[in-house]
Amino acid sequence: MATTVNTRGKNGNSSFAKWWKKNSQNILPPIVGILGFLFVWQISSNIGLIKLPPPSDLWFNERTRTYLLYPFFNRGGTDVGLFWQSLASLQRVLIGYTLAAVVGISAGVFVGLNSFANKALDPLFQFLRTVPPLAWVPIALAALQQNQPAALFVIFITAVWPILINTAVGVQQIPQDYINVRKVLQLSQKKFFFKILIPSALPYIFTGLRIAIGLAWLAIIAAEIVMSGIVGIGFFIWDSYQNNYISDIILALIYIGAIGLVLDRFMGWLQTLISPGE
């Protein structure tokens, strides 16, 4: 029995050694880079080279440590942990992004199939997509008069353009041979849409969706910063700035970056799942 256990232990160590040898070159550089960045930041703060608090304040600052260790606390109103702040923002992103995906894909297919519509609307699309999210906030607040609908509109208007434009390009790039097959086989509009058009344009659609999810996340942060009295990580940052809780802002930025990375990786994984050949 003892021999079996030792053999398993050796096999486990051997497997880990092989895994580490294979992956260490990809794992070590990011770790070294992050640790180096934190070290330089810590030293620069300690000697007064920069005015920001050092990364160690995430632990040694009592208020920030509370947010770090207790992300689920809820005292009511806007006094909640960063989990709930992030969740509220993500819920808004989900609604606005879903609307943008539905409208963007539908309009993109229409524009891609209709050359006149493409020529007529493309200048307008290109013009509107360059407007930054923060510029839409006062327009949305003036038009909708409420924070929640205004935030959803800002997400939608920011995320819809890459989806729409990439979908239109994908539809326009469908090989002529595929169009000829449709004519020869006399496929119905429905079969052409689901069997030829969507599969052919799918890589472009996912490119737009992946770009849009990042823009949607950026948009909600920008929108919440200037909207008062709502639960959301953007407003949390602004409120912390108003009260000079800089360490809290740094912790919130870590949340924002981590969530943005997860959203991007999720869309990439979803693309490989639905369209594994691309």
Side-chain angles (χ1 to χ4, degrees):
M1 180 66 70
T3 303
T4 303
V5 172
N6 290 337
T7 301
R8 288 178 179 175
K10 290 179 180 179
N11 290 338
N13 292 334
S14 176
S15 298
F16 176 78
K18 291 179 180 178
W19 177 87
W20 178 252
K21 184 177 180 180
K22 180 180 179 181
N23 296 282
S24 60
Q25 292 183 343
N26 295 324
I27 296 174
L28 281 177
I31 293 176
V32 172
I34 292 172
L35 291 177
F37 170 75
L38 293 175
F39 176 77
V40 172
W41 179 6
Q42 182 75 34
I43 296 300
S44 299
S45 296
N46 289 343
I47 65 176
L49 189 62
I50 59 175
K51 301 301 181 182
L52 291 175
S56 58
D57 262 26
L58 295 178
W59 180 260
F60 291 110
N61 183 294
E62 183 177 355
R63 175 186 170 86
T64 307
R65 186 169 67 246
T66 300
Y67 280 108
L68 179 65
L69 296 178
Y70 305 103
F72 301 103
F73 79 82
N74 188 341
R75 301 190 186 108
T78 59
D79 190 11
V80 297
L82 282 173
F83 172 83
W84 303 112
Q85 303 279 5
S86 302
L87 182 62
S89 297
L90 279 170
Q91 288 173 337
R92 297 185 185 103
V93 167
L94 178 62
I95 296 172
Y97 178 76
T98 301
L99 291 173
V102 172
V103 173
I105 293 173
S106 302
V109 170
F110 171 74
V111 171
L113 291 174
N114 190 314
S115 59
F116 177 81
N118 181 51
K119 292 177 182 178
L121 297 175
D122 184 67
L124 180 63
F125 294 159
Q126 298 297 338
F127 172 79
L128 291 175
R129 77 179 182 86
T130 61
V131 179
L134 206 56
W136 287 109
V137 175
I139 298 294
L141 287 172
L144 301 174
Q145 300 292 313
Q146 294 181 14
N147 286 338
Q148 184 77 352
L152 296 179
F153 173 80
V154 171
I155 296 167
F156 168 82
I157 202 68
T158 303
V160 71
W161 307 119
I163 301 173
L164 192 159
I165 292 170
N166 278 277
T167 300
V169 171
V171 171
Q172 292 166 352
Q173 295 299 317
I174 295 176
Q176 185 60 40
D177 290 344
Y178 291 5
I179 308 297
N180 295 336
V181 167
R182 177 202 178 185
K183 294 178 180 178
V184 171
L185 298 179
Q186 296 182 340
L187 295 178
S188 65
Q189 192 72 21
K190 181 179 179 181
K191 286 186 177 180
F192 171 72
F193 184 83
F194 288 106
K195 298 293 185 180
I196 295 179
L197 189 148
I198 291 297
S200 300
L202 203 57
Y204 293 88
I205 294 173
F206 263 106
T207 297
L209 290 171
R210 194 167 183 178
I211 295 171
I213 193 65
L215 292 177
W217 185 235
L218 293 176
I220 188 56
I221 302 304
E224 289 176 347
I225 281 178
V226 296
M227 294 179 181
S228 60
I230 61 173
V231 175
I233 199 162
F235 176 71
F236 174 84
I237 288 176
W238 180 247
D239 186 59
S240 297
Y241 171 74
Q242 294 285 77
N243 292 282
N244 201 33
Y245 299 140
I246 307 302
S247 296
D248 291 0
I249 297 175
I250 294 171
L251 180 60
L253 291 178
I254 294 173
Y255 268 76
I256 291 170
I259 293 171
L261 179 62
V262 170
L263 290 175
D264 179 75
R265 292 296 184 265
F266 173 76
M267 290 305 302
W269 171 80
L270 193 62
Q271 180 174 5
T272 59
L273 184 67
I274 296 177
S275 183
E278 301 299 335

